[in-house]
Amino acid sequence: MQPVDSHLFLIVGAALFSIGLAVVLLKRHAIVVLMGIELMLNAVNINLVAFSQYDPDRLQGQMLALFVMVIAAAESAVALAIVLQVYRHFRTAQLDELNELKQ
Amino acid sequence: MIQVAFYTFAALSLSGGLAVLFTRNVIYAAFFLLLTLLGVAGLFVLASADFLAIAQLMIYVGGVLVLVIFGVMLTNKTDPAADASNQQPNRIASLNRSTGWVISALVAGSLFVALFTLLAKANFALLNQPAGWQSTVNTIGRQLMTEYVLPFEIVGILLLAALVGATYLASPLAKSFRNAAR
């Protein structure tokens, strides 16, 4: 029997995903919204790893978590470059001040 | 002992996430995100994913977080007068501060309650089996070179293209190049 109940991993993952979703919904700075997306990706990784420990021969969950990490790195690089150009253009990174189309 | 470590890492990651949610300062949020990522790496070790824990430390803490902190520093407004001039009330009614708190707490809280009741009621047959702890480095290396060799190469090319594209997008020359080409 494993020392830590795997349901606890799933519950921690669910809590972290909810916190990340709240950060994405609530925060106004573009970089903090990106941090919320990173939190959600980490929560998904916890779930994948928690199920993957029962599959030691193929480790499909851990492989998927590895690819998720690489995609997250690529995503955050491109998103930060875009935020940087948005900041250069509008002189702000607050998402609710970017209402050029609305006016 | 392992239980204590698990609860410590879980509390570390959850409190870091909550601090990211509640802090107003962007650079503090970046450092609390560091706390969360360290806690998640510890949870990975406890779930017998030692290679992933090291990869988490190297990719997230060493790469993504440094990138995020650079982004914070490059987009930070140091002029307090510019901040004060932006205090006009938001015209999008649903995004007012208190309403935003209520809506996001409602959405995220109900999602968490739904997931929690689902996980409490679900009886995964897989999770009742015993799971041994063993190092996964060997298996991951073998899997990367056999079963997952095509996704591995594709993700490498994707990462290269994304990083080159990000470098071009972020460079101050990009705009003048576009204007010159026009």
Side-chain angles (χ1 to χ4, degrees):
Chain A
M1 193 64 198
Q2 74 272 17
V4 179
D5 189 7
S6 282
H7 286 98
L8 291 176
F9 282 104
L10 302 185
I11 289 172
V12 170
L16 207 59
F17 190 89
S18 304
I19 293 172
L21 183 64
V23 170
V24 170
L25 287 176
L26 188 63
K27 291 295 184 175
R28 295 169 166 193
H29 200 282
I31 291 177
V32 186
V33 172
L34 284 179
M35 289 181 201
I37 294 174
E38 301 289 336
L39 283 182
M40 290 161 85
L41 288 169
N42 265 291
V44 173
N45 275 352
I46 290 178
N47 260 21
L48 289 172
V49 166
F51 278 108
S52 172
Q53 61 182 326
Y54 300 96
D55 179 24
D57 294 330
R58 291 185 67 199
L59 288 180
Q60 302 177 69
Q62 291 194 21
M63 300 306 294
L64 183 53
L66 200 62
F67 289 126
V68 167
M69 273 186 204
V70 177
I71 301 296
E75 166 255 333
S76 72
V78 173
L80 282 169
I82 291 174
V83 169
L84 216 63
Q85 283 295 49
V86 165
Y87 179 75
R88 285 205 190 108
H89 193 256
F90 292 101
R91 307 308 300 169
T92 181
Q94 304 283 323
L95 288 177
D96 51 355
E97 290 172 14
L98 303 177
N99 47 12
E100 185 99 319
L101 277 183
K102 208 180 71 178
Q103 290 166 352
Chain B
M1 187 61 207
I2 294 182
Q3 299 253 333
V4 173
F6 173 79
Y7 284 115
T8 308
F9 285 129
L12 197 67
S13 54
L14 288 184
S15 60
L18 283 177
V20 171
L21 180 59
F22 287 117
T23 184
R24 303 284 299 271
N25 192 331
V26 183
I27 196 88
Y28 286 174
F31 284 111
F32 285 126
L33 187 69
L34 167 73
L35 217 64
T36 303
L37 297 176
L38 289 179
V40 171
L43 290 181
F44 282 178
V45 173
L46 292 179
S48 74
D50 48 355
F51 180 80
L52 271 187
I54 301 297
Q56 165 100 359
L57 286 184
M58 287 176 65
I59 295 176
Y60 272 110
V61 180
V64 172
L65 204 66
V66 172
L67 215 61
V68 165
I69 290 176
F70 265 106
V72 171
M73 287 193 293
L74 288 174
T75 63
N76 205 14
K77 247 182 221 160
T78 52
D79 188 13
D83 270 349
S85 69
N86 280 328
Q87 292 300 317
Q88 83 270 23
N90 198 341
R91 273 162 296 178
I92 308 173
S94 65
L95 280 183
N96 277 333
R97 179 140 298 268
S98 57
T99 322
W101 274 103
V102 170
I103 288 176
S104 57
L106 211 64
V107 172
S110 57
L111 177 72
F112 177 67
V113 168
L115 283 176
F116 186 81
T117 50
L118 187 69
L119 289 175
K121 281 182 185 169
N123 186 18
F124 295 107
L126 190 68
L127 298 189
N128 296 326
Q129 299 173 3
W133 201 96
Q134 59 180 7
S135 176
T136 61
V137 181
N138 202 351
T139 315
I140 284 184
R142 204 176 59 238
Q143 290 285 81
L144 272 183
M145 280 298 122
T146 54
E147 193 177 348
Y148 292 93
V149 63
L150 187 63
F152 179 66
E153 301 291 341
I154 289 174
V155 89
I157 293 174
L158 175 80
L159 188 61
L160 176 70
L163 290 181
V164 171
T167 314
Y168 174 70
L169 263 182
S171 83
L173 296 175
K175 204 172 180 180
S176 57
F177 277 153
R178 277 199 298 271
N179 287 340
R182 214 173 273 158

